Amino acid sequence: MEYKKQIEQLIVDFRTNYLSSVSIDFVIFGFHDGQLKVLLLRWKETDKWCLPGGRVRHEENLETAAYRSLQERTGLSEIFLEQFHTFGDVLRYTHFSKEETMGTLGLPQDVLDGFPGRDVSVGYYALVEFARVTPTPDLFTDECQWWDIDQIPLLLFDHNAMITLALKTLRRQLSYQPIGYNLLPEKFTMPDLQQLYETILGQTLDRRNFQKRILGYDILDRLDERKTGGAHKAPYLYRFNKEKYEKALKGEVLFVG
């Protein structure tokens, strides 16, 4: 089916089965080769990028819609997902005008007029294990790709502001909750975990204080094996205790350091 017909059918689907003025946008964080990354979509036949998003069906809870949309973009069903802000400014086209943004679709005006008008967008950030993600573009886009957090280009809509606020929220989370379960492989070293925290915070942490704080959460199981292949004394491997980790996220585990 030609692209225009697909878009026209999608518009009919939007009007019939989805809330007309509520959308969802995702800042999907991954961690790879010592870099914090964000998943972006490139619109069809353009060099313009945006965050992945989704819409809410009439008979669907907001969180259910968020998990469904995330699975469509990443292929994952178990994801740490946190709502961080609602974006409701009247003008949400920060770097490119609405006409320029919608014009990237290459569709005639009568088709574009069928799109929903003003949207209030609920922002979520997600933490995913980089190696397990299968980035998948949607009907409007040609490519779904990871970008280093410090190399994000000018994005469509207000999506640069979304990333900035999501990262600020994630950094704030580090002050009262652990992270890492969804970002690191199953087995990791204490230096691996510290590197993750330092990358997110953008600063160096004292090794002893960091280890004391993390162990104080009592969410790690130290394994009877060490990391292989290093030039120095191999550090022990750890893994998260999922039950204790989830309790810590709910505030049911107090820091004991």
Side-chain angles (χ1 to χ4, degrees), residues 80-91:
F80 176 87
L81 185 65
E82 187 81 11
Q83 186 180 138
F84 69 94
H85 194 69
T86 300
F87 297 84
D89 286 356
V90 175
L91 298 178

Side-chain angles (χ1 to χ4, degrees), residues 51-116:
L51 291 170
R55 304 198 73 85
V56 185
R57 293 170 180 156
H58 286 300
E59 302 301 326
E60 187 176 39
N61 292 332
L62 179 62
E63 188 170 292
T64 302
Y67 278 109
R68 172 182 53 77
S69 299
L70 267 178
Q71 186 172 17
E72 292 170 357
R73 297 285 73 78
T74 66
L76 302 179
S77 57
E78 294 186 13
I79 297 177
F80 176 87
L81 185 65
E82 187 81 11
Q83 186 180 138
F84 69 94
H85 194 69
T86 300
F87 297 84
D89 286 356
V90 175
L91 298 178
R92 294 185 52 212
Y93 297 87
T94 307
H95 301 297
F96 305 97
S97 68
K98 179 177 181 180
E99 291 72 23
E100 185 179 5
T101 299
M102 301 310 294
T104 60
L105 293 175
L107 297 173
Q109 190 60 45
D110 63 318
V111 176
L112 293 177
D113 288 341
F115 275 86

Side-chain angles (χ1 to χ4, degrees), residues 101-146:
T101 299
M102 301 310 294
T104 60
L105 293 175
L107 297 173
Q109 190 60 45
D110 63 318
V111 176
L112 293 177
D113 288 341
F115 275 86
R118 177 188 173 188
D119 269 342
V120 172
S121 181
V122 181
Y124 285 88
Y125 72 86
L127 308 179
V128 300
E129 187 180 336
F130 179 92
R132 295 182 58 217
V133 172
T134 303
T136 305
D138 59 21
L139 183 60
F140 300 107
T141 56
D142 282 329
E143 187 177 3
C144 186
Q145 178 180 301
W146 290 105

Side-chain angles (χ1 to χ4, degrees), residues 24-29 62-63 66-67 70 79-87 122-128 162 165-174 176-179 182 245-246 248-250:
I24 307 171
D25 285 297
F26 303 103
V27 181
I28 304 174
F29 291 111
L62 179 62
E63 188 170 292
Y67 278 109
L70 267 178
I79 297 177
F80 176 87
L81 185 65
E82 187 81 11
Q83 186 180 138
F84 69 94
H85 194 69
T86 300
F87 297 84
V122 181
Y124 285 88
Y125 72 86
L127 308 179
V128 300
M162 288 186 180
L165 185 54
L167 181 58
K168 181 179 179 180
T169 306
L170 179 60
R171 286 172 172 169
R172 188 165 59 243
Q173 180 190 339
L174 293 182
Y176 62 88
Q177 283 182 327
I179 69 162
N182 301 84
Y245 186 92
E246 290 178 348
L249 290 181
K250 296 176 182 177

Side-chain angles (χ1 to χ4, degrees), residues 1-234:
M1 183 186 302
E2 63 176 287
Y3 178 56
K4 179 181 175 181
K5 292 296 184 183
Q6 289 179 309
I7 294 295
E8 290 174 342
Q9 286 193 0
L10 184 63
I11 291 173
V12 172
D13 190 32
F14 279 165
R15 288 173 169 172
T16 306
N17 299 313
Y18 291 81
L19 299 180
S20 60
S21 58
V22 178
S23 62
I24 307 171
D25 285 297
F26 303 103
V27 181
I28 304 174
F29 291 111
F31 184 68
H32 182 64
D33 287 341
Q35 294 289 328
L36 187 66
K37 297 179 180 290
V38 175
L39 201 61
L40 298 179
L41 292 166
R42 181 174 60 80
W43 279 39
K44 279 189 177 296
E45 300 180 1
T46 77
D47 59 356
K48 293 180 173 61
W49 296 79
C50 66
L51 291 170
R55 304 198 73 85
V56 185
R57 293 170 180 156
H58 286 300
E59 302 301 326
E60 187 176 39
N61 292 332
L62 179 62
E63 188 170 292
T64 302
Y67 278 109
R68 172 182 53 77
S69 299
L70 267 178
Q71 186 172 17
E72 292 170 357
R73 297 285 73 78
T74 66
L76 302 179
S77 57
E78 294 186 13
I79 297 177
F80 176 87
L81 185 65
E82 187 81 11
Q83 186 180 138
F84 69 94
H85 194 69
T86 300
F87 297 84
D89 286 356
V90 175
L91 298 178
R92 294 185 52 212
Y93 297 87
T94 307
H95 301 297
F96 305 97
S97 68
K98 179 177 181 180
E99 291 72 23
E100 185 179 5
T101 299
M102 301 310 294
T104 60
L105 293 175
L107 297 173
Q109 190 60 45
D110 63 318
V111 176
L112 293 177
D113 288 341
F115 275 86
R118 177 188 173 188
D119 269 342
V120 172
S121 181
V122 181
Y124 285 88
Y125 72 86
L127 308 179
V128 300
E129 187 180 336
F130 179 92
R132 295 182 58 217
V133 172
T134 303
T136 305
D138 59 21
L139 183 60
F140 300 107
T141 56
D142 282 329
E143 187 177 3
C144 186
Q145 178 180 301
W146 290 105
W147 283 70
D148 289 349
I149 190 71
D150 57 357
Q151 295 180 359
I152 301 295
L154 291 181
L155 303 179
L156 295 169
F157 312 107
D158 49 358
H159 290 182
N160 289 92
M162 288 186 180
I163 293 175
T164 299
L165 185 54
L167 181 58
K168 181 179 179 180
T169 306
L170 179 60
R171 286 172 172 169
R172 188 165 59 243
Q173 180 190 339
L174 293 182
S175 66
Y176 62 88
Q177 283 182 327
I179 69 162
Y181 178 78
N182 301 84
L183 290 168
L184 292 173
E186 180 183 2
K187 299 178 183 179
F188 54 88
T189 65
M190 190 64 70
D192 292 335
L193 184 58
Q194 181 170 340
Q195 184 186 38
L196 171 64
Y197 271 66
E198 289 177 339
T199 301
I200 293 173
L201 292 172
Q203 64 184 59
T204 301
L205 302 174
D206 178 79
R207 181 182 63 84
R208 292 190 178 185
N209 288 341
F210 174 78
Q211 183 166 320
K212 178 182 178 182
R213 181 170 184 82
I214 291 299
L215 294 178
Y217 281 119
D218 191 30
I219 57 173
L220 299 179
D221 293 331
R222 196 179 83 170
L223 308 179
D224 293 328
E225 55 184 300
R226 296 176 182 265
K227 184 176 182 178
T228 58
H232 305 287
K233 182 178 179 181

